Every structure is written in C-alpha cells, then in structure tokens.
Amino acid sequence: MSSRFLSLVGVLSVAAVLLASCAPAAAPPAAKATAAPGATPKPAAEQPRSGGILKTAALADEATFDLHTIGRNLAYEQVSLNYSGLLQYDPADGTKIISDLADKYEMSADGKKVTFTLKPGVKWHDGKTFTSEDVKFNFDRWLKPPEGVAITRREVVAAVEKVETPNPNTVVVSLKYPSASFIPLVAMVTSVMLPPQFLKDRKTMEYNSLGTGPYKLKKYTRGVSVEHEKNADYFIKGRPYLDGVAEFMLPDATARLASFRTGQVRLMFIAIANVTPPQSEQLRTQMGDKVNVARFPALGNTLVYMNTTKPPFNDVKVRQAVDMAIDRKKGMEVAEGRAILNAIMPPGPWALPADELAKRPGYRGVTPDDIARAKALLAEAGFKDGLKVTAVTTSAYAKITVFLQDQLKSIGIDITIETVDQPTLDKRFVSTDFAISIYPPAQPVNDPDLFLNLVVTGGGRNYGKFSDKQIDEWYDQQSKTIDVAKRKEIVNQAQRRALDLAALPVVYGNLLDLPYWKCIKNFYPEKQFGYYNNYKKQDIWLDQGCS
C-alpha cells in the first residue's frame, strides 16, 4: 500500500499496520505542544506574499555544515534549509509525515521492503539532476562512513540490509527486520540528502553546502552570519516565498535580545540558552501585540556525560555516587520552570512512570543518608578523601555546570570548570577528550532508537563511551519489536538498567521558549514536537513591515 503522509494518531496500531502492508506510524511526540499566551492562528483570508529577507539570530558558529556528522540543532538551523530528505515532518502539523524528495513510498506485506518513488525533475543547486543513485550514496555513507568520519545519527540505517536502484526514480530499501522506527527516522531533519558529486572527492562537507532545498547558501562569514538566497529552481512551484534568510551570530545574550526587541532580527534561534524564562515572560507581557513566545517540549534532556573509558568514571560506583548526589528538584529551580522530570525517554508513551522515578535517590531529593551512601561508594572505589576532576563546558551552559559543581562538592568531588567554544566542545565530545560535562542534547523524534542510542555501545552521541552488553541486547530487541506494548516493556527495562548503572544521569527534561514576531506567517512552532524538523522555511512569508 502506498502512503503520501503519516499521522502519529495511529501509533498504537503499528503492528497491525505493518501486517496489513501499510506504512508504519511514527512514534508519538513527547507531549502535546501548546501555544504560548497571545499566539494567533493564521486567518484563512491571508494570502502569502513573496519577497523579503527573514533575519534571525543565533548563538554561535557551528563546528561543521555536514548534517550527517553533527548532532546539534545549531547546524540544522544554519543549513538544513539548503537540503531535502526523502520524507519530512509537516511544518504545519508535526504529527504528520509528508512527502519531500519522495513523492510516495510502498511498504511490502512483511514490512521488510520499502520502495520510494522520487519526484521527477529535481535539481541539485549546481544544476545536476537528482536521481536514485544519489539516495543510495547517502544510505551507503550512513551504513559505512568514510574512515575518520563519525556519523551521529546512524540509527536511520540500523535496520537496513541493502539499497537498490532499479531506475533513476526508484529506490528499494530492504530491511533486515520490520522496523517501527525506519520511516519516522527517514523523515527527521538529519536524514537529508547530501551531494555525491561533492563528497566523492572529500570526506565531509566542512563549511560547504550543496543541496536540493528551497534555499542556496549565498555567503558564510565566520563569526558574523550565514546568508541564504532563494532557490529559483526549487522543485515545489511557487516556493519559497522569501527572497532569502540571514542568520546573524550574536553570542552576547543582551545584544541578541535587544536586536529581537527592536526588530533587527525577527526570529530567535531555538536553544535552552537563547532567552531566560523571565525574559520570555517580559516579551509576552510587554510585546504581546507584536511577538509570540512558543513554549514546547525540547525532546531532549540535560545530561551528565562521564568519560567511562578511564578513571574515575569507568568505575560504576563513582558514577552512582555522582547520580545519587544530584538533586533533580534543585536542578529544576536552575531551569526556572523550563524543565520536567524524566529518565532517558521524555514524557510520552515510552517514559518510565513518574511515581517510579519519584522513589529513586536524586529524583526524590537528596537526603543526608544519600550523601553518606554516595561518600561510601566513593570510598569503596578508592576515593575516600574525594577526588578532583575538570568539567568542560561552554558559556551557554555555565549556570547548570556551576550547579553540578555545587552538587558534587557535597560528596567530596572537587570540580574545576573549563570553558571552551562550541566547536571545541563538539570536537572534544567526539574524541572523548573530557572527564565530565553537563550538556543538553535533543532529538528530532521521540523514538527509543534515538534516545536509548545515547547509552548503547557505539551510539552516535554516546560521548562518554558507556557500554553494557545487556542494554545493547535490549536495544536491538526493542528496535525489532513492532508490538507497542512489548516494545515499551523492553524500553523500560533498558531505562531502569541505565539508571541503576548511572550510565548517563538525567538532571531534567528540557522545555524550550522560541520568541518570534507575529509578522512571520505560515510559521507554527507550537504545532511541532521539539521543533527540530521545522527548519526549511519553504512556506514562511513576511507580512508588510516585517522584512
């Protein structure tokens, strides 16, 4: 049966859907996103107008423009509007998967073969025709990355056995097993098609961009801006409406907010460090007639990464002591209300029960007995007099790192904070060149394949290199399990063991605020779940006075 889009509403019938030869439903979102006070739906009478440059603000440069090798939404914001994937999440309704480069797809009766039919006549920005061979190149790159290249989201091909191209407009993907996650992961923002004609002679895109998307990279000035211009040959007629998008690097929070308030930029970059909760409330109350501030689940957690490849954090007792000493309720105070309590999986169908979490040390608060037990664990690990470590971070996460420093001081762990820029932190994560760090990675989709991958051996963003055979086995099992109830049981087992082993302590789940001017039309961040699949901006247009 062919499918042109997917709805998340039918997730509980995934097994039946697959057995009936239909496309599998995507995993449901973390929580229902709600519009911030003052949000205004688009009136039916409004007609899109072409022209104008959408000006946005970002925190910093990204380490690379290669969307397969970076796991941060800063990169998605800066260049994903240059690219297309086979499928995409609907920017007007994040519960649906719709077509992109693939006009449609068919799932075989046994759920082990997916046939994508590509849109005809699609051109790369250099004029070359996009074909099925380009798709195969990208799948091959995910399956077997070039030497020295780390692909951060290889989960998309976890179930893939082979990819065939019977003709230029058809791609046949054979799966090793029916996978409930395959289609949702194909549609996520990181699963874009990168150019074989460029990468055949190079390992990565570095700071280059060449795609099939609605905008072309016009100019990149490091530390200043990333500028994009309209792709006049975009395969969707009449899109994009904008003449271009310009993103300015404004690392100073005060200057960034001032630029937004005055309208020099109309959209703030989506990040925990973007605006504080008091600033968000101030924007709502003082500028509610002109701006919206969307608040929604980040589909990500603030995590404590520990390097498990060497002492002291290769010892489970040291990690357990750290986990036991972190008071999650106090951590949520640092987040000033933009936080929720959860384990590795965010609130939603895969989450551990809240009452179960509330019984665990750290989640229930930290008592004197917990502190004594944590100190005893350190002593058993050979650190009865405590220990000293360095926490690497960026200025954007300084506040929560100071919180970690304060929490661990109570059990005799003395933390020195080292502040670096974001590209340096990214490189040190990839090379495991750190001892401990507190960091908030997010995911494009609320799917166990993505979140549990953080604690699976070889996981793309398992920066601490944690490894446990039992969790690995459960990860493989849940990925191959179509029955939702059975899959949930396995996912919960894996989460509990990760908690017991302090594999990757979760301080809290993140909520995000996204300020934007109301004169930006066809823009619905409140209808997304995490927002990370909503960067292409092909349908956005600017009302008069907004450019």
Side-chain angles (χ1 to χ4, degrees):
M1 175 179 176
S2 66
S3 177
R4 293 182 181 272
F5 68 90
L6 290 173
S7 171
L8 305 187
V9 175
V11 69
L12 295 180
S13 61
V14 172
V17 170
L18 272 178
L19 293 175
S21 305
C22 294
K32 190 68 176 177
T34 56
T40 305
K42 172 181 175 291
E46 288 187 328
Q47 294 298 319
R49 59 190 295 269
S50 298
I53 304 294
L54 176 61
K55 297 173 184 177
T56 72
L59 308 178
D61 291 281
E62 190 47 276
T64 176
F65 287 168
D66 192 320
L67 295 179
H68 293 173
T69 66
I70 196 74
R72 288 169 33 80
N73 60 322
L74 182 57
Y76 314 152
E77 170 72 24
Q78 290 181 351
V79 293
S80 65
L81 68 174
N82 300 155
Y83 292 101
S84 310
L86 291 174
L87 304 171
Q88 63 180 317
Y89 284 84
D90 189 341
D93 183 354
T95 67
K96 294 179 180 178
I97 291 175
I98 61 176
S99 68
D100 201 0
L101 291 169
D103 191 48
K104 64 179 181 178
Y105 69 89
E106 286 186 38
M107 179 74 70
S108 64
D110 63 359
K112 294 177 67 176
K113 183 173 289 188
V114 186
T115 301
F116 296 96
T117 301
L118 304 180
K119 285 184 169 72
V122 174
K123 301 288 186 180
W124 290 94
H125 293 162
D126 62 1
K128 180 180 180 292
T129 300
F130 177 84
T131 71
S132 58
E133 288 298 325
D134 299 328
V135 178
K136 186 178 188 307
F137 174 90
N138 279 268
F139 271 92
D140 288 345
R141 188 177 193 242
W142 291 325
L143 284 164
K144 190 176 180 180
E147 184 178 352
V149 174
I151 303 296
T152 57
R153 305 264 188 196
R154 293 186 67 190
E155 302 91 342
V156 69
V157 291
V160 174
E161 183 174 49
K162 63 179 179 179
V163 178
E164 298 171 292
T165 55
N167 61 61
N169 289 323
T170 304
V171 179
V172 180
V173 181
S174 297
L175 305 179
K176 292 176 283 188
Y177 49 83
S179 169
S181 298
F182 179 66
I183 291 299
L185 298 188
V186 164
M188 67 182 177
V189 65
T190 53
S191 301
V192 296
M193 296 291 108
L194 299 185
Q197 63 268 38
F198 182 90
L199 288 171
K200 281 180 179 178
D201 298 324
R202 303 169 179 85
K203 287 188 175 182
T204 76
M205 295 299 298
E206 296 180 338
Y207 287 109
N208 299 286
S209 183
L210 172 62
T212 58
Y215 300 92
K216 299 178 181 181
L217 181 62
K218 178 181 179 181
K219 183 180 180 182
Y220 170 49
T221 306
R222 187 163 178 79
V224 179
S225 64
V226 183
E227 299 176 55
H228 305 274
E229 61 185 352
K230 179 177 183 175
N231 175 15
D233 296 321
Y234 186 49
F235 57 83
I236 297 179
K237 187 176 181 179
R239 301 291 193 280
Y241 295 118
L242 299 173
D243 288 334
V245 178
E247 183 172 64
F248 299 95
M249 311 304 172
L250 299 173
D252 182 79
T254 301
R256 192 166 60 249
L257 184 62
S259 295
F260 178 80
R261 291 177 69 96
T262 59
Q264 291 175 293
V265 298
R266 301 290 183 174
L267 174 64
M268 298 280 270
F269 170 63
I270 179 66
I272 292 173
N274 193 21
V275 292
T276 66
Q279 288 171 336
S280 296
E281 187 57 33
Q282 191 178 63
L283 288 172
R284 289 188 184 105
T285 56
Q286 295 180 1
M287 300 183 68
D289 60 328
K290 298 178 180 178
V291 306
N292 287 329
V293 183
R295 174 170 288 184
F296 43 81
L299 286 190
N301 303 314
T302 293
L303 304 169
V304 180
Y305 278 99
M306 292 174 277
N307 185 344
T308 66
T309 67
K310 59 185 179 181
F313 300 117
N314 62 335
D315 192 318
V316 63
K317 293 179 180 179
V318 177
R319 298 197 306 272
Q320 288 170 333
V322 168
D323 182 69
M324 193 172 292
I326 299 172
D327 190 326
R328 272 68 172 181
K329 293 179 180 178
K330 290 184 178 179
M332 292 180 70
E333 292 175 6
V334 176
E336 299 180 276
R338 287 197 310 213
I340 44 182
L341 286 179
N342 53 259
I344 289 178
M345 296 302 305
W350 312 108
L352 283 176
D355 57 349
E356 177 182 332
L357 283 177
K359 297 175 184 177
R360 286 184 172 269
Y363 285 90
R364 67 181 181 221
V366 177
T367 68
D369 286 344
D370 294 329
I371 296 297
R373 177 57 183 152
K375 288 181 176 179
L377 285 169
L378 288 179
E380 292 171 20
F383 300 101
K384 67 176 182 178
D385 297 323
L387 60 97
K388 295 182 178 182
V389 295
T390 296
V392 62
T393 189
T394 70
S395 58
Y397 310 116
K399 190 174 182 181
I400 193 65
T401 305
V402 170
F403 164 78
L404 180 67
Q405 181 186 49
D406 179 69
Q407 294 287 287
L408 299 192
K409 186 184 299 181
S410 65
I411 61 173
I413 296 181
D414 184 7
I415 287 183
T416 298
I417 298 176
E418 178 188 3
T419 304
V420 300
D421 61 20
Q422 188 63 57
T424 299
L425 182 63
D426 289 339
K427 292 175 183 177
R428 291 181 62 173
F429 274 159
V430 170
S431 61
T432 323
D433 180 20
F434 69 97
I436 190 170
S437 183
I438 189 165
Y439 190 69
Q443 306 289 4
V445 183
N446 183 7
D447 187 274
D449 276 17
L450 291 179
F451 280 90
L452 292 183
N453 194 264
L454 294 168
V455 292
V456 168
T457 303
R461 292 199 292 177
N462 182 353
Y463 299 128
K465 296 294 189 291
F466 173 81
S467 181
D468 178 72
K469 183 178 179 181
Q470 180 61 76
I471 290 179
D472 292 348
E473 290 177 358
W474 281 333
Y475 179 84
D476 288 340
Q477 288 176 22
Q478 65 80 29
S479 187
K480 300 173 184 177
T481 301
I482 300 300
D483 183 275
V484 174
K486 291 181 180 179
R487 189 184 188 196
K488 179 178 175 64
E489 183 179 343
I490 300 169
V491 169
N492 284 352
Q493 285 179 311
Q495 289 190 87
R496 293 184 183 108
R497 185 163 175 82
L499 286 170
D500 291 342
L501 298 179
L504 190 60
V506 179
V507 182
Y508 50 73
N510 304 316
L511 299 174
L512 296 177
D513 286 340
L514 177 63
Y516 64 98
W517 280 67
K518 290 182 179 180
C519 57
I520 302 175
K521 302 298 183 178
N522 275 1
F523 185 55
Y524 309 105
E526 299 92 345
K527 296 183 179 181
Q528 301 301 312
F529 304 99
Y531 183 68
Y532 307 112
N533 295 298
N534 190 28
Y535 283 128
K536 290 176 66 175
K537 301 180 175 66
Q538 67 184 35
D539 298 316
I540 285 178
W541 58 277
L542 301 179
D543 206 349
Q544 290 186 357
C546 197
S547 58

